[in-house]
């Protein structure tokens, strides 16, 4: 290929491509179309895997031969597991803080493997360490100053639910007042103004018609996320949402139990949604951060490895679907019921954002693989993680995840620290 003789310059260009792709791929996953449906994280991962597989064959048009390495299966396994966890993190904790969390962990994993396992040479170990720690400190700062918005979202959610309760309570009181007046009229009492009334219930038809138009308090229809994976607290629907009625919420109100939308049930236990989202992001850093380690043991590197990686990811994704179908069929004692219990791909509603997100991630993956090839695991992988800056800017400007002048200023200082770390690392690779 034309870029075979390329050096550090091509590595930095590839890193820029990776930063843009990885920094923006989460934005379509936070779109209104996705929020209204709130699909299963594995569904969104399937879109990513599919686009990764399809776009990987573009290297053939650039003159690359078709090659496959079994190490691609391990890369795909690590990436798919990490990708599912990362999507869960984005959906439940927010884009900026999730990317910051897995980026910091990825830098640590990449640096450890690159320097201590692969023996990668750097110009100055001390300056390389300084760059790494500047980036980690920057990631930590950006993640920390992203988190207050999540807490604010919780407060907003509580306020919204309180206002809803108050409104429904007022409606209930009004209905009770109307029923009381109706009883007084039927019993021959007064009409509330001291005037005698007929014993005939003149307002009977009107009252029945009025009551039929309004559901009782404990049967009000609330918005639903439309999925087994609940929406984040800032993705709630209004009571008259078109997304449908949430039967579980209805049942909980009927039984008098309060539904805490900031909690999620996982493995039969209840967890704080935001905290579990952070755990998911950390798992993405742990697994996804090592998805290119198998490439170092493969006979193919760089663009040669793209098809192996993508094919491995697609095979693992299909296997996961089969495993999930088998689990459902076992639990429901029927293959047909197990198939029907699988999460929907929602092709009509989220095909566009799903394909868009997958394409952006594939662009980032191509950049990342080329960066690691030219700059090494420790430096290349670490630089690409500065995609946190891009996702953070989207979180500030587009999704309003980070609010307040002081918070944004402190986040910006953390981003500057990260950028300084990138500058240090970009000069440390020994060709």
């Amino acid at each position: 290929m034309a870029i075979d003789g390329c050096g550090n310059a091509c590595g930095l260009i590839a890193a820029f491509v990776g930063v843009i792709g990885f920094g923006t791929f989460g934005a379509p996953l936070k779109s209104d179309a996705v929020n209204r449906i709130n699909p299963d994280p594995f569904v969104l991962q399937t879109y990513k895997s599919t686009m990764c597989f399809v776009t990987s064959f573009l290297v053939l048009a650039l003159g690359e031969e078709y090659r496959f390495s079994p190490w691609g299966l391990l890369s795909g396994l690590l990436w798919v597991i990490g990708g599912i966890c990362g999507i869960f993190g984005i959906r439940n904790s927010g884009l900026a803080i999730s990317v910051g969390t897995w980026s910091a962990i990825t830098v640590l994993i990449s640096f450890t493997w690159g320097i201590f396992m692969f023996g990668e040479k750097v110009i100055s170990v001390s300056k390389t360490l300084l760059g790494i720690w500047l980036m980690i400190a920057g990631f930590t700062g950006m993640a920390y100053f992203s988190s207050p918005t999540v807490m604010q979202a919780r407060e907003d959610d509580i306020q919204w639910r309180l206002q809803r309760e108050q409104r429904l309570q007022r409606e209930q009181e009004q209905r009770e007042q109307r029923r009381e007046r109706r009883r007084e009229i039927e019993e021959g009492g007064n009409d509330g103004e001291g005037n005698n009334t007929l014993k005939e219930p003149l307002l009977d038809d009107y009252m029945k018609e009025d009551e039929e138009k309004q559901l009782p308090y404990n049967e009000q229809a609330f918005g639903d996320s439309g999925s087994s994976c609940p929406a984040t607290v800032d993705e709630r629907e209004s009571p008259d949402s078109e997304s449908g009625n949430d039967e579980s919420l209805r049942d909980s109100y009927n039984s008098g139990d309060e539904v805490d939308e900031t909690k999620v049930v996982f493995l039969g236990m209840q967890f704080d949604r935001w905290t579990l989202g952070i755990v998911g992001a950390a798992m993405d850093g742990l697994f996804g951060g090592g998805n290119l380690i198998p490439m170092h043991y493969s006979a193919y590197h760089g663009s040669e490895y793209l098809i192996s990686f993508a094919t491995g990811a697609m095979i693992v994704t299909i296997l996961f679907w089969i495993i999930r179908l088998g689990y459902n069929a076992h639990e429901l004692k029927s293959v047909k019921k197990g198939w029907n219990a699988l999460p929907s791909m929602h092709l009509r509603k989220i095909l566009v954002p799903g394909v868009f997100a997958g394409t952006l991630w594939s662009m980032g993956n191509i950049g990342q693989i080329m960066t690691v090839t030219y700059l090494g695991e420790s430096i290349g992988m670490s630089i690409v993680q500065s995609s946190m800056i891009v996702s953070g800017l989207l979180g500030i400007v587009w999704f309003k995840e980070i609010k307040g002048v002081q918070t944004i200023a402190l986040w910006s200082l953390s981003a500057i620290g990260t950028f300084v770390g990138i500058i240090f690392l970009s000069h440390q690779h020994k060709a």
Side-chain angles (χ1 to χ4, degrees):
M1 293 179 65
I3 61 175
D4 285 343
C6 219
N8 289 354
C10 285
L12 293 175
I13 293 174
F16 177 78
V17 174
V19 166
I20 298 300
F22 286 155
T24 58
F25 91 90
L29 304 183
K30 297 274 289 182
S31 65
D32 291 339
V34 178
N35 286 343
R36 283 194 294 269
I37 297 174
N38 193 29
D40 189 284
F42 189 55
V43 168
L44 297 177
Q45 177 61 38
T46 301
Y47 280 107
K48 286 173 57 184
S49 297
T50 302
M51 293 311 301
C52 178
F53 178 73
V54 171
T55 57
S56 69
F57 288 90
L58 293 176
V59 299
L60 300 179
L62 298 176
E64 193 67 72
E65 296 181 6
Y66 177 83
R67 298 180 175 91
F68 177 76
S69 169
W71 287 104
L73 292 171
L74 181 55
S75 287
L77 177 63
L78 293 171
W79 174 60
V80 170
I81 295 175
I84 295 172
C85 295
I87 290 172
F88 182 82
I90 290 175
R91 300 290 298 155
N92 290 278
S93 296
L95 178 62
I97 191 171
S98 295
V99 176
T101 300
W102 74 56
S103 295
I105 296 176
T106 297
V107 168
L108 285 174
I109 291 177
S110 301
F111 179 79
T112 301
W113 275 85
I115 299 298
F116 299 106
M117 301 300 293
F118 301 139
E120 295 175 351
K121 303 299 182 181
V122 294
I123 295 176
S124 171
V125 175
S126 60
K127 290 183 178 180
T128 300
L129 284 172
L130 177 60
I132 291 291
W133 285 111
L134 279 173
M135 291 190 68
I136 292 177
F139 291 148
T140 304
M142 286 188 287
Y144 177 80
F145 294 116
S146 300
S147 59
T149 59
V150 180
M151 302 304 296
Q152 183 61 47
R154 290 178 176 180
E155 294 175 2
D156 293 344
D157 181 73
I158 293 174
Q159 182 64 26
W160 176 82
R161 291 170 60 196
L162 179 60
Q163 292 174 353
R164 181 184 67 183
E165 294 287 344
Q166 292 173 344
R167 177 178 59 80
L168 295 176
Q169 184 62 38
R170 286 196 300 269
E171 293 177 356
Q172 176 71 4
E173 292 175 354
Q174 291 172 358
R175 284 191 292 273
E176 290 295 337
Q177 291 174 359
R178 287 196 295 269
R179 292 192 185 98
E180 182 63 28
R181 290 187 58 192
R182 178 171 144 189
R183 283 195 296 270
E184 291 178 351
I185 292 173
E186 291 176 345
E187 294 172 358
N190 58 65
D191 59 5
E193 298 179 357
N195 300 320
N196 292 329
T197 59
L198 297 174
K199 292 186 178 182
E200 297 291 337
L202 299 177
L203 299 180
D204 186 59
D205 293 337
Y206 164 79
M207 294 297 293
K208 288 182 180 179
E209 179 182 358
D210 180 70
E211 290 181 40
E212 288 174 355
K213 291 180 180 178
Q214 302 190 47
L215 293 172
Y217 168 70
N218 58 1
E219 292 185 5
Q220 291 289 332
F222 303 114
D224 182 23
S225 62
S227 162
S228 60
C229 180
T232 54
V233 292
D234 59 336
E235 292 160 0
R236 59 188 177 271
E237 299 287 347
S238 60
D240 56 351
S241 167
E242 64 181 6
S243 60
N245 298 336
D246 189 335
E247 296 296 335
S248 62
L249 280 178
R250 275 195 197 179
D251 293 341
S252 65
Y253 273 90
N254 284 333
S255 63
D257 295 333
E258 179 65 19
V259 176
D260 191 348
E261 298 174 2
T262 66
K263 303 294 182 181
V264 62
V265 176
F266 181 70
L267 298 178
M269 296 179 288
Q270 190 178 68
F271 296 90
D272 178 83
R273 184 186 304 279
W274 182 81
T275 302
L276 199 59
I278 295 299
V279 173
M283 295 298 290
D284 187 12
L286 183 62
F287 288 99
N291 64 51
L292 290 184
I293 292 175
M295 183 180 72
H296 293 270
Y297 298 97
S298 170
Y300 310 125
H301 302 86
S303 56
E304 298 175 332
Y305 192 70
L306 277 171
I307 293 179
S308 299
F309 180 100
T311 303
M314 199 69 234
I315 291 175
V316 170
T317 300
I318 294 173
L319 286 176
F320 275 20
W321 276 108
I322 294 174
I323 292 173
R324 191 161 182 174
L325 172 61
Y327 175 80
N328 289 349
H330 177 267
E331 292 294 315
L332 299 174
K333 311 301 182 184
S334 168
V335 175
K336 182 178 180 180
K337 291 181 179 179
W339 173 269
N340 292 334
L342 291 174
S344 171
M345 291 295 294
H346 302 287
L347 292 176
R348 294 183 179 181
K349 297 180 179 179
I350 64 171
L351 177 63
V352 173
V355 169
F356 192 25
T359 302
L360 289 172
W361 190 93
S362 298
M363 182 180 78
N365 187 50
I366 293 173
Q368 177 176 258
I369 289 178
M370 301 305 293
T371 303
V372 171
T373 300
Y374 292 123
L375 301 181
E377 181 78 19
S378 60
I379 293 178
M381 198 76 162
S382 299
I383 291 177
V384 172
Q385 301 314 307
S386 59
S387 57
M388 167 69 178
I389 297 176
V390 177
S391 63
L393 289 174
L394 283 175
I396 294 173
V397 177
W398 190 259
F399 297 111
K400 309 299 181 183
E401 290 182 347
I402 306 174
K403 300 177 182 179
V405 175
Q406 182 179 2
T407 302
I408 293 177
L410 293 172
W411 181 93
S412 300
L413 287 176
S414 301
I416 292 173
T418 302
F419 188 73
V420 172
I422 294 172
I423 294 176
F424 269 94
L425 289 181
S426 65
H427 291 86
Q428 297 307 309
H429 180 251
K430 183 181 291 187

